Amino acid sequence: MNGPAVYELPSAPASWRVALPHTAAAVPVARALVRTALAELEHGADCDTAELLTAELVANAVEHTTGESPIELVVELLPSGCQVEVHDADPAPPGDLTCPAGGPPDPWQEHGRGLLLIRALSSSCGHRPTESGKAVWFRLPLVPAQRRPSV
């Protein structure tokens, strides 16, 4: 081998799949899992944005679905970025994830901005049916090394 070794992201995706309780306690756990997954491989996706959007997906799954079935968090680290999915048992698609309904959210309300944030901050987002309900997902691109905050 000539010259110094250069760290490269793996060409094959790395993924994590974790069942979370169908309670608000799942939100901070999901945030921590995403941060850990991105930090573990020194992945180049924006950790803060990934945490925020994951929290929104998990909070929506807890708030807008019924039952006690666990919520499943799936994090995939790809050479081009990351994809986060939240699976729940409700087959109904999320209201206005891919096409906004109505006008902007009421600034005086506490709720109503989660899907707007996901649309605005992700490179892409969507939902798909699964055997047991649906998966709602977002993708974030890699952040170029020169734009990453130094720790």
Side-chain angles (χ1 to χ4, degrees), residues 30-35 38 43 45-57 73 75 77 82-84 118 121-122 138-141:
R31 289 181 73 118
L33 289 169
V34 166
R35 177 164 291 282
L38 293 174
H43 196 271
D46 180 356
C47 276
D48 294 332
T49 302
E51 276 190 76
L52 173 65
L53 300 186
T54 299
E56 292 297 337
L57 286 185
L73 174 68
V75 181
L77 304 184
C82 74
Q83 177 168 310
V84 175
I118 293 165
L121 298 177
S122 67
F138 68 85
R139 289 188 189 120
L140 293 175

PDB file of all heavy atoms in Angstrom, residues 30-35 38 43 45-57 73 75 77 82-84 118 121-122 138-141:
ATOM      1  N   ALA A  30     -35.438   7.146  20.147  1.00  0.00           N
ATOM      2  CA  ALA A  30     -35.219   7.164  18.699  1.00  0.00           C
ATOM      3  C   ALA A  30     -34.167   8.207  18.323  1.00  0.00           C
ATOM      4  O   ALA A  30     -33.290   7.949  17.490  1.00  0.00           O
ATOM      5  CB  ALA A  30     -36.531   7.435  17.969  1.00  0.00           C
ATOM      6  N   ARG A  31     -34.233   9.380  18.936  1.00  0.00           N
ATOM      7  CA  ARG A  31     -33.234  10.429  18.660  1.00  0.00           C
ATOM      8  C   ARG A  31     -31.833   9.926  18.996  1.00  0.00           C
ATOM      9  O   ARG A  31     -30.893  10.112  18.218  1.00  0.00           O
ATOM     10  CB  ARG A  31     -33.540  11.694  19.471  1.00  0.00           C
ATOM     11  CG  ARG A  31     -34.741  12.463  19.014  1.00  0.00           C
ATOM     12  CD  ARG A  31     -34.929  13.704  19.875  1.00  0.00           C
ATOM     13  NE  ARG A  31     -33.915  14.680  19.534  1.00  0.00           N
ATOM     14  CZ  ARG A  31     -34.182  15.878  19.039  1.00  0.00           C
ATOM     15  NH1 ARG A  31     -35.423  16.254  18.833  1.00  0.00           N
ATOM     16  NH2 ARG A  31     -33.210  16.708  18.759  1.00  0.00           N
ATOM     17  N   ALA A  32     -31.696   9.307  20.150  1.00  0.00           N
ATOM     18  CA  ALA A  32     -30.386   8.808  20.578  1.00  0.00           C
ATOM     19  C   ALA A  32     -29.889   7.704  19.651  1.00  0.00           C
ATOM     20  O   ALA A  32     -28.695   7.656  19.327  1.00  0.00           O
ATOM     21  CB  ALA A  32     -30.467   8.306  22.023  1.00  0.00           C
ATOM     22  N   LEU A  33     -30.784   6.839  19.216  1.00  0.00           N
ATOM     23  CA  LEU A  33     -30.379   5.765  18.309  1.00  0.00           C
ATOM     24  C   LEU A  33     -29.881   6.309  16.975  1.00  0.00           C
ATOM     25  O   LEU A  33     -28.885   5.832  16.433  1.00  0.00           O
ATOM     26  CB  LEU A  33     -31.545   4.797  18.094  1.00  0.00           C
ATOM     27  CG  LEU A  33     -31.897   3.928  19.285  1.00  0.00           C
ATOM     28  CD1 LEU A  33     -33.216   3.201  19.057  1.00  0.00           C
ATOM     29  CD2 LEU A  33     -30.787   2.931  19.568  1.00  0.00           C
ATOM     30  N   VAL A  34     -30.559   7.306  16.440  1.00  0.00           N
ATOM     31  CA  VAL A  34     -30.120   7.892  15.168  1.00  0.00           C
ATOM     32  C   VAL A  34     -28.769   8.575  15.333  1.00  0.00           C
ATOM     33  O   VAL A  34     -27.869   8.403  14.517  1.00  0.00           O
ATOM     34  CB  VAL A  34     -31.186   8.867  14.622  1.00  0.00           C
ATOM     35  CG1 VAL A  34     -30.631   9.731  13.508  1.00  0.00           C
ATOM     36  CG2 VAL A  34     -32.389   8.082  14.133  1.00  0.00           C
ATOM     37  N   ARG A  35     -28.608   9.331  16.407  1.00  0.00           N
ATOM     38  CA  ARG A  35     -27.323  10.001  16.636  1.00  0.00           C
ATOM     39  C   ARG A  35     -26.202   8.973  16.770  1.00  0.00           C
ATOM     40  O   ARG A  35     -25.128   9.126  16.190  1.00  0.00           O
ATOM     41  CB  ARG A  35     -27.372  10.877  17.881  1.00  0.00           C
ATOM     42  CG  ARG A  35     -25.999  11.523  18.172  1.00  0.00           C
ATOM     43  CD  ARG A  35     -26.048  12.668  19.129  1.00  0.00           C
ATOM     44  NE  ARG A  35     -26.698  13.853  18.635  1.00  0.00           N
ATOM     45  CZ  ARG A  35     -26.153  14.732  17.794  1.00  0.00           C
ATOM     46  NH1 ARG A  35     -24.957  14.521  17.312  1.00  0.00           N
ATOM     47  NH2 ARG A  35     -26.808  15.797  17.425  1.00  0.00           N
ATOM     48  N   LEU A  38     -25.340   7.386  13.319  1.00  0.00           N
ATOM     49  CA  LEU A  38     -24.580   8.284  12.450  1.00  0.00           C
ATOM     50  C   LEU A  38     -23.164   8.513  12.989  1.00  0.00           C
ATOM     51  O   LEU A  38     -22.212   8.602  12.212  1.00  0.00           O
ATOM     52  CB  LEU A  38     -25.309   9.613  12.266  1.00  0.00           C
ATOM     53  CG  LEU A  38     -26.621   9.526  11.492  1.00  0.00           C
ATOM     54  CD1 LEU A  38     -27.334  10.871  11.504  1.00  0.00           C
ATOM     55  CD2 LEU A  38     -26.397   9.066  10.070  1.00  0.00           C
ATOM     56  N   HIS A  43     -20.523   8.917   9.975  1.00  0.00           N
ATOM     57  CA  HIS A  43     -21.285   9.126   8.743  1.00  0.00           C
ATOM     58  C   HIS A  43     -21.441  10.617   8.491  1.00  0.00           C
ATOM     59  O   HIS A  43     -21.535  11.403   9.420  1.00  0.00           O
ATOM     60  CB  HIS A  43     -22.651   8.442   8.853  1.00  0.00           C
ATOM     61  CG  HIS A  43     -23.337   8.282   7.552  1.00  0.00           C
ATOM     62  ND1 HIS A  43     -24.166   9.240   7.056  1.00  0.00           N
ATOM     63  CD2 HIS A  43     -23.298   7.295   6.639  1.00  0.00           C
ATOM     64  CE1 HIS A  43     -24.633   8.833   5.890  1.00  0.00           C
ATOM     65  NE2 HIS A  43     -24.113   7.647   5.621  1.00  0.00           N
ATOM     66  N   ALA A  45     -23.980  12.411   7.209  1.00  0.00           N
ATOM     67  CA  ALA A  45     -25.289  13.062   7.197  1.00  0.00           C
ATOM     68  C   ALA A  45     -25.393  13.992   8.405  1.00  0.00           C
ATOM     69  O   ALA A  45     -24.710  13.806   9.411  1.00  0.00           O
ATOM     70  CB  ALA A  45     -26.402  12.030   7.210  1.00  0.00           C
ATOM     71  N   ASP A  46     -26.232  14.981   8.318  1.00  0.00           N
ATOM     72  CA  ASP A  46     -26.416  15.970   9.379  1.00  0.00           C
ATOM     73  C   ASP A  46     -27.158  15.334  10.560  1.00  0.00           C
ATOM     74  O   ASP A  46     -28.353  15.074  10.488  1.00  0.00           O
ATOM     75  CB  ASP A  46     -27.190  17.158   8.815  1.00  0.00           C
ATOM     76  CG  ASP A  46     -27.432  18.255   9.832  1.00  0.00           C
ATOM     77  OD1 ASP A  46     -27.065  18.091  11.017  1.00  0.00           O
ATOM     78  OD2 ASP A  46     -28.002  19.286   9.439  1.00  0.00           O
ATOM     79  N   CYS A  47     -26.434  15.104  11.652  1.00  0.00           N
ATOM     80  CA  CYS A  47     -27.005  14.435  12.834  1.00  0.00           C
ATOM     81  C   CYS A  47     -28.162  15.224  13.439  1.00  0.00           C
ATOM     82  O   CYS A  47     -29.171  14.638  13.825  1.00  0.00           O
ATOM     83  CB  CYS A  47     -25.941  14.255  13.914  1.00  0.00           C
ATOM     84  SG  CYS A  47     -24.925  12.803  13.694  1.00  0.00           S
ATOM     85  N   ASP A  48     -28.008  16.527  13.549  1.00  0.00           N
ATOM     86  CA  ASP A  48     -29.049  17.336  14.183  1.00  0.00           C
ATOM     87  C   ASP A  48     -30.356  17.263  13.400  1.00  0.00           C
ATOM     88  O   ASP A  48     -31.429  17.084  13.977  1.00  0.00           O
ATOM     89  CB  ASP A  48     -28.600  18.794  14.316  1.00  0.00           C
ATOM     90  CG  ASP A  48     -27.438  18.951  15.281  1.00  0.00           C
ATOM     91  OD1 ASP A  48     -27.311  18.125  16.215  1.00  0.00           O
ATOM     92  OD2 ASP A  48     -26.654  19.899  15.113  1.00  0.00           O
ATOM     93  N   THR A  49     -30.261  17.378  12.080  1.00  0.00           N
ATOM     94  CA  THR A  49     -31.465  17.292  11.248  1.00  0.00           C
ATOM     95  C   THR A  49     -32.054  15.889  11.313  1.00  0.00           C
ATOM     96  O   THR A  49     -33.271  15.723  11.422  1.00  0.00           O
ATOM     97  CB  THR A  49     -31.151  17.687   9.793  1.00  0.00           C
ATOM     98  OG1 THR A  49     -30.614  19.014   9.786  1.00  0.00           O
ATOM     99  CG2 THR A  49     -32.392  17.640   8.924  1.00  0.00           C
ATOM    100  N   ALA A  50     -31.207  14.873  11.270  1.00  0.00           N
ATOM    101  CA  ALA A  50     -31.693  13.495  11.346  1.00  0.00           C
ATOM    102  C   ALA A  50     -32.429  13.257  12.661  1.00  0.00           C
ATOM    103  O   ALA A  50     -33.494  12.630  12.682  1.00  0.00           O
ATOM    104  CB  ALA A  50     -30.529  12.515  11.196  1.00  0.00           C
ATOM    105  N   GLU A  51     -31.896  13.762  13.762  1.00  0.00           N
ATOM    106  CA  GLU A  51     -32.551  13.606  15.058  1.00  0.00           C
ATOM    107  C   GLU A  51     -33.903  14.303  15.093  1.00  0.00           C
ATOM    108  O   GLU A  51     -34.893  13.740  15.557  1.00  0.00           O
ATOM    109  CB  GLU A  51     -31.688  14.204  16.168  1.00  0.00           C
ATOM    110  CG  GLU A  51     -30.627  13.305  16.693  1.00  0.00           C
ATOM    111  CD  GLU A  51     -30.001  13.912  17.930  1.00  0.00           C
ATOM    112  OE1 GLU A  51     -30.645  13.855  19.004  1.00  0.00           O
ATOM    113  OE2 GLU A  51     -28.893  14.440  17.824  1.00  0.00           O
ATOM    114  N   LEU A  52     -33.937  15.539  14.615  1.00  0.00           N
ATOM    115  CA  LEU A  52     -35.176  16.316  14.619  1.00  0.00           C
ATOM    116  C   LEU A  52     -36.263  15.623  13.800  1.00  0.00           C
ATOM    117  O   LEU A  52     -37.392  15.443  14.261  1.00  0.00           O
ATOM    118  CB  LEU A  52     -34.916  17.719  14.062  1.00  0.00           C
ATOM    119  CG  LEU A  52     -36.165  18.587  13.845  1.00  0.00           C
ATOM    120  CD1 LEU A  52     -36.840  18.908  15.167  1.00  0.00           C
ATOM    121  CD2 LEU A  52     -35.793  19.854  13.089  1.00  0.00           C
ATOM    122  N   LEU A  53     -35.925  15.211  12.584  1.00  0.00           N
ATOM    123  CA  LEU A  53     -36.922  14.601  11.712  1.00  0.00           C
ATOM    124  C   LEU A  53     -37.355  13.227  12.226  1.00  0.00           C
ATOM    125  O   LEU A  53     -38.529  12.862  12.117  1.00  0.00           O
ATOM    126  CB  LEU A  53     -36.398  14.511  10.287  1.00  0.00           C
ATOM    127  CG  LEU A  53     -36.035  15.853   9.633  1.00  0.00           C
ATOM    128  CD1 LEU A  53     -35.669  15.652   8.170  1.00  0.00           C
ATOM    129  CD2 LEU A  53     -37.130  16.884   9.797  1.00  0.00           C
ATOM    130  N   THR A  54     -36.428  12.497  12.825  1.00  0.00           N
ATOM    131  CA  THR A  54     -36.784  11.213  13.436  1.00  0.00           C
ATOM    132  C   THR A  54     -37.767  11.431  14.577  1.00  0.00           C
ATOM    133  O   THR A  54     -38.760  10.709  14.706  1.00  0.00           O
ATOM    134  CB  THR A  54     -35.525  10.481  13.940  1.00  0.00           C
ATOM    135  OG1 THR A  54     -34.664  10.232  12.825  1.00  0.00           O
ATOM    136  CG2 THR A  54     -35.869   9.174  14.630  1.00  0.00           C
ATOM    137  N   ALA A  55     -37.494  12.427  15.408  1.00  0.00           N
ATOM    138  CA  ALA A  55     -38.392  12.739  16.522  1.00  0.00           C
ATOM    139  C   ALA A  55     -39.794  13.064  16.000  1.00  0.00           C
ATOM    140  O   ALA A  55     -40.799  12.636  16.587  1.00  0.00           O
ATOM    141  CB  ALA A  55     -37.841  13.895  17.341  1.00  0.00           C
ATOM    142  N   GLU A  56     -39.880  13.806  14.902  1.00  0.00           N
ATOM    143  CA  GLU A  56     -41.180  14.146  14.328  1.00  0.00           C
ATOM    144  C   GLU A  56     -41.910  12.902  13.839  1.00  0.00           C
ATOM    145  O   GLU A  56     -43.111  12.748  14.076  1.00  0.00           O
ATOM    146  CB  GLU A  56     -41.019  15.149  13.178  1.00  0.00           C
ATOM    147  CG  GLU A  56     -40.552  16.523  13.609  1.00  0.00           C
ATOM    148  CD  GLU A  56     -41.526  17.236  14.538  1.00  0.00           C
ATOM    149  OE1 GLU A  56     -42.729  16.915  14.546  1.00  0.00           O
ATOM    150  OE2 GLU A  56     -41.074  18.126  15.279  1.00  0.00           O
ATOM    151  N   LEU A  57     -41.193  12.013  13.137  1.00  0.00           N
ATOM    152  CA  LEU A  57     -41.841  10.792  12.643  1.00  0.00           C
ATOM    153  C   LEU A  57     -42.340   9.915  13.794  1.00  0.00           C
ATOM    154  O   LEU A  57     -43.457   9.392  13.750  1.00  0.00           O
ATOM    155  CB  LEU A  57     -40.883   9.978  11.772  1.00  0.00           C
ATOM    156  CG  LEU A  57     -40.579  10.477  10.372  1.00  0.00           C
ATOM    157  CD1 LEU A  57     -39.700   9.467   9.642  1.00  0.00           C
ATOM    158  CD2 LEU A  57     -41.848  10.733   9.587  1.00  0.00           C
ATOM    159  N   LEU A  73     -38.240   1.503  14.287  1.00  0.00           N
ATOM    160  CA  LEU A  73     -37.343   2.493  13.706  1.00  0.00           C
ATOM    161  C   LEU A  73     -36.305   1.765  12.860  1.00  0.00           C
ATOM    162  O   LEU A  73     -35.687   0.810  13.335  1.00  0.00           O
ATOM    163  CB  LEU A  73     -36.640   3.279  14.815  1.00  0.00           C
ATOM    164  CG  LEU A  73     -35.568   4.269  14.384  1.00  0.00           C
ATOM    165  CD1 LEU A  73     -36.185   5.437  13.625  1.00  0.00           C
ATOM    166  CD2 LEU A  73     -34.789   4.776  15.595  1.00  0.00           C
ATOM    167  N   VAL A  75     -32.943   2.600  10.469  1.00  0.00           N
ATOM    168  CA  VAL A  75     -31.956   3.590  10.030  1.00  0.00           C
ATOM    169  C   VAL A  75     -31.026   2.901   9.050  1.00  0.00           C
ATOM    170  O   VAL A  75     -30.428   1.873   9.386  1.00  0.00           O
ATOM    171  CB  VAL A  75     -31.143   4.149  11.221  1.00  0.00           C
ATOM    172  CG1 VAL A  75     -30.136   5.190  10.749  1.00  0.00           C
ATOM    173  CG2 VAL A  75     -32.064   4.718  12.285  1.00  0.00           C
ATOM    174  N   LEU A  77     -27.709   3.616   6.635  1.00  0.00           N
ATOM    175  CA  LEU A  77     -26.618   4.494   6.237  1.00  0.00           C
ATOM    176  C   LEU A  77     -26.164   4.048   4.861  1.00  0.00           C
ATOM    177  O   LEU A  77     -25.728   2.917   4.675  1.00  0.00           O
ATOM    178  CB  LEU A  77     -25.476   4.418   7.240  1.00  0.00           C
ATOM    179  CG  LEU A  77     -25.856   4.731   8.689  1.00  0.00           C
ATOM    180  CD1 LEU A  77     -24.621   4.708   9.564  1.00  0.00           C
ATOM    181  CD2 LEU A  77     -26.570   6.058   8.799  1.00  0.00           C
ATOM    182  N   CYS A  82     -28.411   9.047   4.286  1.00  0.00           N
ATOM    183  CA  CYS A  82     -29.095   8.126   5.188  1.00  0.00           C
ATOM    184  C   CYS A  82     -30.586   8.153   4.922  1.00  0.00           C
ATOM    185  O   CYS A  82     -31.115   9.130   4.393  1.00  0.00           O
ATOM    186  CB  CYS A  82     -28.800   8.440   6.654  1.00  0.00           C
ATOM    187  SG  CYS A  82     -29.617   9.894   7.299  1.00  0.00           S
ATOM    188  N   GLN A  83     -31.238   7.061   5.276  1.00  0.00           N
ATOM    189  CA  GLN A  83     -32.694   6.982   5.213  1.00  0.00           C
ATOM    190  C   GLN A  83     -33.184   6.486   6.554  1.00  0.00           C
ATOM    191  O   GLN A  83     -32.639   5.534   7.104  1.00  0.00           O
ATOM    192  CB  GLN A  83     -33.168   6.045   4.109  1.00  0.00           C
ATOM    193  CG  GLN A  83     -34.693   5.909   4.089  1.00  0.00           C
ATOM    194  CD  GLN A  83     -35.209   5.232   2.851  1.00  0.00           C
ATOM    195  OE1 GLN A  83     -34.854   5.603   1.742  1.00  0.00           O
ATOM    196  NE2 GLN A  83     -36.063   4.236   3.036  1.00  0.00           N
ATOM    197  N   VAL A  84     -34.201   7.154   7.078  1.00  0.00           N
ATOM    198  CA  VAL A  84     -34.817   6.774   8.340  1.00  0.00           C
ATOM    199  C   VAL A  84     -36.279   6.462   8.052  1.00  0.00           C
ATOM    200  O   VAL A  84     -36.952   7.233   7.378  1.00  0.00           O
ATOM    201  CB  VAL A  84     -34.696   7.903   9.388  1.00  0.00           C
ATOM    202  CG1 VAL A  84     -35.443   7.544  10.668  1.00  0.00           C
ATOM    203  CG2 VAL A  84     -33.237   8.210   9.685  1.00  0.00           C
ATOM    204  N   ILE A 118     -40.362  17.941   7.911  1.00  0.00           N
ATOM    205  CA  ILE A 118     -39.833  16.789   7.181  1.00  0.00           C
ATOM    206  C   ILE A 118     -39.730  17.103   5.693  1.00  0.00           C
ATOM    207  O   ILE A 118     -38.707  16.839   5.056  1.00  0.00           O
ATOM    208  CB  ILE A 118     -40.688  15.533   7.448  1.00  0.00           C
ATOM    209  CG1 ILE A 118     -40.526  15.120   8.916  1.00  0.00           C
ATOM    210  CG2 ILE A 118     -40.297  14.397   6.505  1.00  0.00           C
ATOM    211  CD1 ILE A 118     -41.557  14.134   9.400  1.00  0.00           C
ATOM    212  N   LEU A 121     -36.809  19.931   5.232  1.00  0.00           N
ATOM    213  CA  LEU A 121     -35.417  19.653   5.607  1.00  0.00           C
ATOM    214  C   LEU A 121     -34.830  18.376   5.024  1.00  0.00           C
ATOM    215  O   LEU A 121     -33.617  18.188   5.070  1.00  0.00           O
ATOM    216  CB  LEU A 121     -35.288  19.632   7.132  1.00  0.00           C
ATOM    217  CG  LEU A 121     -35.631  20.937   7.843  1.00  0.00           C
ATOM    218  CD1 LEU A 121     -35.546  20.767   9.354  1.00  0.00           C
ATOM    219  CD2 LEU A 121     -34.750  22.074   7.371  1.00  0.00           C
ATOM    220  N   SER A 122     -35.671  17.498   4.503  1.00  0.00           N
ATOM    221  CA  SER A 122     -35.144  16.255   3.933  1.00  0.00           C
ATOM    222  C   SER A 122     -34.916  16.418   2.439  1.00  0.00           C
ATOM    223  O   SER A 122     -35.478  17.311   1.800  1.00  0.00           O
ATOM    224  CB  SER A 122     -36.125  15.101   4.183  1.00  0.00           C
ATOM    225  OG  SER A 122     -37.327  15.293   3.466  1.00  0.00           O
ATOM    226  N   PHE A 138     -37.795   9.410   5.462  1.00  0.00           N
ATOM    227  CA  PHE A 138     -37.126  10.583   4.886  1.00  0.00           C
ATOM    228  C   PHE A 138     -35.694  10.197   4.574  1.00  0.00           C
ATOM    229  O   PHE A 138     -35.152   9.242   5.122  1.00  0.00           O
ATOM    230  CB  PHE A 138     -37.182  11.803   5.817  1.00  0.00           C
ATOM    231  CG  PHE A 138     -36.375  11.662   7.081  1.00  0.00           C
ATOM    232  CD1 PHE A 138     -35.012  11.960   7.099  1.00  0.00           C
ATOM    233  CD2 PHE A 138     -36.967  11.228   8.255  1.00  0.00           C
ATOM    234  CE1 PHE A 138     -34.272  11.822   8.256  1.00  0.00           C
ATOM    235  CE2 PHE A 138     -36.234  11.095   9.420  1.00  0.00           C
ATOM    236  CZ  PHE A 138     -34.877  11.399   9.411  1.00  0.00           C
ATOM    237  N   ARG A 139     -35.092  10.956   3.676  1.00  0.00           N
ATOM    238  CA  ARG A 139     -33.677  10.782   3.334  1.00  0.00           C
ATOM    239  C   ARG A 139     -32.952  12.104   3.540  1.00  0.00           C
ATOM    240  O   ARG A 139     -33.503  13.171   3.292  1.00  0.00           O
ATOM    241  CB  ARG A 139     -33.524  10.363   1.874  1.00  0.00           C
ATOM    242  CG  ARG A 139     -33.973   8.973   1.613  1.00  0.00           C
ATOM    243  CD  ARG A 139     -33.629   8.524   0.192  1.00  0.00           C
ATOM    244  NE  ARG A 139     -34.279   7.255  -0.053  1.00  0.00           N
ATOM    245  CZ  ARG A 139     -35.157   7.046  -1.014  1.00  0.00           C
ATOM    246  NH1 ARG A 139     -35.464   8.004  -1.862  1.00  0.00           N
ATOM    247  NH2 ARG A 139     -35.721   5.870  -1.145  1.00  0.00           N
ATOM    248  N   LEU A 140     -31.705  11.976   3.964  1.00  0.00           N
ATOM    249  CA  LEU A 140     -30.804  13.124   4.073  1.00  0.00           C
ATOM    250  C   LEU A 140     -29.554  12.809   3.279  1.00  0.00           C
ATOM    251  O   LEU A 140     -29.049  11.688   3.339  1.00  0.00           O
ATOM    252  CB  LEU A 140     -30.420  13.397   5.525  1.00  0.00           C
ATOM    253  CG  LEU A 140     -31.528  13.871   6.454  1.00  0.00           C
ATOM    254  CD1 LEU A 140     -31.002  13.987   7.880  1.00  0.00           C
ATOM    255  CD2 LEU A 140     -32.097  15.201   5.986  1.00  0.00           C
ATOM    256  N   PRO A 141     -29.029  13.799   2.554  1.00  0.00           N
ATOM    257  CA  PRO A 141     -27.799  13.565   1.797  1.00  0.00           C
ATOM    258  C   PRO A 141     -26.581  13.683   2.702  1.00  0.00           C
ATOM    259  O   PRO A 141     -26.662  14.181   3.826  1.00  0.00           O
ATOM    260  CB  PRO A 141     -27.813  14.709   0.776  1.00  0.00           C
ATOM    261  CG  PRO A 141     -28.509  15.822   1.507  1.00  0.00           C
ATOM    262  CD  PRO A 141     -29.560  15.140   2.359  1.00  0.00           C
TER     263      PRO A 141
END
